[in-house]
Amino acid sequence: MEIRTVPTTPYSDQKPGTSGLRKAVAVFQQPHYLENFVQSIFNTLTDYQGKTLVVGGDGRYYNRTAIQVILKMAAANGFGKVMVGQGGILSTPAVSCLIRKYQAFGGIVLSASHNPGGIHGDFGIKYNVSNGGPAPEKITEAIYAQSKTISSYRILEAGDVDIDRLGTSKLGDMVVEVIDPVTDYAQLMESIFDFERIHELLTNGRFHMKMDAMHAVTGPYAYNILEYRLGAPIGTVINSKPLEDFGGGHPDPNLVYAKELVDILYSDDAPDFGAASDGDGDRNMILGRRFFVTPSDSLAILAHYAQVVPAYREGIKGIARSMPTSQAADRVAQKLGVPCYETPTGWKFFGNLLDADRVTLCGEESFGTGSNHVREKDGLWAILFWLNILAVTQKSVAEIVTNHWATYGRHFYSRHDYEEIPTDRAEDLMANLRANLGQLQGKQFNSRYTVAYADDFSYTDPIDGSVSRNQGIRIGFTDGSRLVYRLSGTGTKGATLRVYLEQYEPDPYKQQQDAQTALKDLIALADTIGQITHCTGRTAPTVIT
Ligand code: VG1
Ligand code: CO
């Protein structure tokens, strides 16, 4: 087998976003596009010769093609071994688990997460480092720099590897091990949670749940853990077969896209608990009977109850949340006497805090929660955490959440997304906001809201001192309310403006309102301050979560 060095020319658009490089499948199908990016990753790494790489994806269209290319390029670039999930399947948290467990050098995750898949959908690629987490900014920037000057890539001339048969084979000098995608991850979950209590709950005949895998990667994991290991009735997991186009759906676990599950949980004979996860298995949505738990509340509640879970019995070291995530978790941290860190959006910013043992739990408002068990957010982990709480407390989801609000106050929260705005208009809107920040300080709007601070969020990593600027415009008011504006770093069409709204309500009577009603004035103010309608021509968001 011969190693070929193939001449190539750079593409100018290979800058990784919030979570890797995401583009339409057609973009990835351009000649050498994938190869350029993979070689750019390898070019930034040192001392990986003979070491192990973990490779897998969420099963979307192009996953199998990309894996064959990556295997041959890894062999040509001198990796000693690649561990690949059977059928090319590995969830994002499973990749993180495998890198850590087998002390791999790193991993490549093929996914565009919650973006639609299929031949007309999106594809994505992300590099994870040896702690199991997404590459930090200095590495993604180095990859981008490589991609702009690349002139050749290395690939082995060889036939395709059979990735459907478990076991070990050779590709040139490199070993390829096809592994079961679920086993190691399921064992990790078993080592964290009280499986006996959860088993009792799921088999007592009174408690009912549904889990929607949205035809994405979580299906086999959820089936194995919930139905096979924990004894939940067959059929508990719906849409469990990963499909290349996610069955035509949008594998984003929110009230809009997980409609089938939402309809079940809001029906007359609704089960007690519902959950969904996204394309690559790192997000989660938690529902009770006719009850939605916001991801920000979920993080706070998991922190409050952490000690019911065997792995966190000794208590948590601290919490980290992304900046736009509500401050509900801060209140729990304060009560527990542990620190709460505020980081930019994206899981890569949690890695250092977790490695340094400063925090145990992390979360984002975008349906992402996780802990120090891996270095990615983890959908099924969050679902098992909730089941563990429900099993121990014997309370309903609604009781747990409303009790939490009564204790800590409620942070009304919502995110309004304006998708596919022309990029120049979105950038103008942000530029205007930025330019006016200085004048906002102290300004009063409709008697209730006085601006306490207005800034463009900048983060200095407390561990390595690296600085990340321009991470979103924050406007905080004296009553604790907040407005945050930022542009998405995962979209593939035009720009997506995200507006995050948060308002604190200590009064239990007022806590029962619907969030959109409670936030009505703040929503109007977001338009006044951000000039959204004026700049974008939009009078309403496309997605509200
Ligand atoms: C979005 C979310 C962010 C999350 C990221 C990756 O990013 O807002 O919180 O970390 O997706 O999640 P953005 O830049 O579009 O707002 V996943 O499950 O898509 O890997
Ligand atoms: Co995801």
Side-chain angles (χ1 to χ4, degrees):
M1 273 180 261
E2 189 198 337
I3 293 174
R4 277 205 303 146
T5 300
V6 183
T8 187
T9 47
Y11 286 92
S12 60
D13 64 346
Q14 297 196 321
K15 185 176 168 64
T18 313
S19 180
L21 182 69
R22 288 188 195 176
K23 299 283 174 193
V25 165
V27 173
F28 271 101
Q29 285 173 326
Q30 297 173 94
H32 313 306
Y33 193 89
L34 173 73
E35 290 86 344
N36 276 16
F37 192 72
V38 172
Q39 189 65 53
S40 299
I41 296 174
F42 294 159
N43 287 352
T44 63
L45 310 177
T46 46
D47 297 330
Y48 60 84
Q49 302 297 320
K51 305 243 169 90
T52 299
L53 189 68
V54 176
V55 177
D58 63 10
R60 69 178 62 221
Y61 183 81
Y62 213 55
N63 194 36
R64 286 174 170 271
T65 314
I67 286 177
Q68 295 297 341
V69 169
I70 293 167
L71 286 172
K72 290 168 200 172
M73 288 185 66
N77 278 275
F79 276 95
K81 177 175 171 177
V82 170
M83 293 175 87
V84 55
Q86 189 178 25
I89 291 287
L90 281 178
S91 75
T92 288
V95 169
S96 192
C97 159
L98 289 164
I99 294 173
R100 296 170 67 77
K101 181 166 180 176
Y102 297 104
Q103 283 148 30
F105 185 84
I108 292 181
V109 190
L110 300 163
S111 171
S113 190
H114 57 287
N115 297 20
I119 192 160
H120 302 296
D122 288 342
F123 189 72
I125 174 166
K126 185 174 73 154
Y127 182 69
N128 281 28
V129 295
S130 60
N131 73 352
E137 268 190 334
K138 66 173 189 307
I139 296 184
T140 56
E141 271 157 27
I143 295 171
Y144 179 45
Q146 284 289 336
S147 78
K148 289 191 285 191
T149 58
I150 189 164
S151 57
S152 66
Y153 63 86
R154 287 159 70 79
I155 190 160
L156 191 74
E157 282 284 1
D160 282 358
V161 177
D162 182 355
I163 56 170
D164 293 301
R165 216 185 52 230
L166 294 176
T168 302
S169 60
K170 282 297 265 296
L171 186 61
D173 292 333
M174 187 182 85
V175 174
V176 178
E177 185 183 358
V178 178
I179 57 165
D180 177 73
V182 177
T183 308
D184 295 286
Y185 177 82
Q187 285 169 358
L188 177 62
M189 292 303 111
E190 245 173 328
S191 75
I192 295 172
F193 297 106
D194 193 338
F195 266 41
E196 260 174 54
R197 297 290 284 269
I198 302 175
H199 176 267
E200 260 167 50
L201 178 77
L202 293 176
T203 55
N204 68 13
R206 298 184 305 277
F207 180 88
H208 302 285
M209 75 166 282
K210 280 276 180 244
M211 153 91 205
D212 190 351
M214 303 187 86
H215 286 305
V217 81
T218 324
Y221 296 86
Y223 165 75
N224 180 290
I225 294 171
L226 296 173
E227 296 186 14
Y228 176 69
R229 290 178 195 244
L230 289 165
I234 301 295
T236 294
V237 186
I238 58 171
N239 300 320
S240 62
K241 191 175 167 12
L243 298 176
E244 286 201 329
D245 66 349
F246 308 116
H250 203 130
D252 198 351
N254 61 38
L255 293 175
V256 179
Y257 295 123
K259 190 170 180 308
E260 185 178 345
L261 179 79
V262 172
D263 286 347
I264 295 173
L265 268 291
Y266 282 78
S267 66
D268 288 339
D269 54 352
D272 304 273
F273 181 70
S277 71
D278 70 333
D280 59 334
D282 56 359
R283 296 188 179 203
N284 73 90
M285 175 171 70
I286 302 294
L287 300 172
R289 184 182 294 137
R290 278 174 240 114
F291 198 95
F292 166 65
V293 186
T294 70
S296 294
D297 279 349
S298 180
L299 173 65
I301 290 165
L302 300 190
H304 175 87
Y305 282 105
Q307 285 177 291
V308 308
V309 173
Y312 314 116
R313 195 140 281 161
E314 305 295 312
I316 58 169
K317 288 280 169 60
I319 308 174
R321 60 160 176 85
S322 67
M323 180 273 282
T325 304
S326 100
Q327 299 159 97
D330 304 39
R331 292 183 188 270
V332 180
Q334 199 180 16
K335 185 158 181 200
L336 295 174
V338 298
C340 186
Y341 296 87
E342 185 174 47
T343 59
T345 296
W347 213 261
K348 55 177 172 268
F349 296 102
F350 295 134
N352 280 348
L353 293 168
L354 288 164
D355 285 351
D357 211 19
R358 297 262 193 118
V359 301
T360 308
L361 300 180
C362 305
E364 294 193 279
E365 52 63 45
S366 54
F367 299 83
T369 350
S371 88
N372 58 1
H373 69 290
V374 288
R375 293 294 180 272
E376 288 278 6
K377 56 187 185 272
D378 189 342
L380 260 177
W381 168 89
I383 293 161
L384 290 166
F385 203 140
W386 268 93
L387 286 171
N388 202 147
I389 295 173
L390 297 175
V392 172
T393 62
Q394 297 288 315
K395 291 194 174 115
S396 72
V397 171
E399 275 174 297
I400 287 185
V401 178
T402 45
N403 287 350
H404 189 89
W405 295 338
T407 308
Y408 293 96
R410 176 173 181 184
H411 289 257
F412 279 109
Y413 191 84
S414 185
R415 185 174 102 185
H416 288 196
D417 291 337
Y418 299 78
E419 298 170 310
E420 293 185 41
I421 304 171
T423 307
D424 51 343
R425 293 204 195 171
E427 277 166 3
D428 281 354
L429 183 150
M430 293 300 285
N432 287 340
L433 264 172
R434 220 166 262 135
N436 291 327
L437 282 176
Q439 290 143 41
L440 279 172
Q441 181 81 35
K443 219 168 167 174
Q444 195 184 352
F445 296 91
N446 66 20
S447 74
R448 171 164 188 175
Y449 302 104
T450 304
V451 177
Y453 62 87
D455 63 10
D456 192 348
F457 182 57
S458 172
Y459 177 68
T460 304
D461 185 297
I463 311 301
D464 67 14
S466 58
V467 180
S468 305
R469 294 193 172 81
N470 300 328
Q471 298 296 322
I473 306 283
R474 309 189 284 185
I475 301 170
F477 301 94
T478 47
D479 71 345
S481 306
R482 282 199 316 168
L483 274 177
V484 174
Y485 302 79
R486 62 177 280 281
L487 297 184
S488 157
T490 58
T492 54
K493 290 190 200 98
T496 294
L497 169 70
R498 304 203 195 286
V499 181
Y500 309 79
L501 307 127
E502 176 181 0
Q503 185 166 292
Y504 183 62
E505 181 52 75
D507 180 350
Y509 292 101
K510 295 192 189 150
Q511 287 169 1
Q512 306 309 319
Q513 292 174 82
D514 160 68
Q516 300 306 316
T517 313
L519 294 167
K520 201 165 82 353
D521 293 345
L522 198 58
I523 292 168
L525 188 55
D527 191 35
T528 309
I529 295 181
Q531 291 290 293
I532 301 167
T533 308
H534 175 78
C535 293
T536 66
R538 302 281 181 84
T539 51
T542 38
V543 177
I544 295 179
T545 50

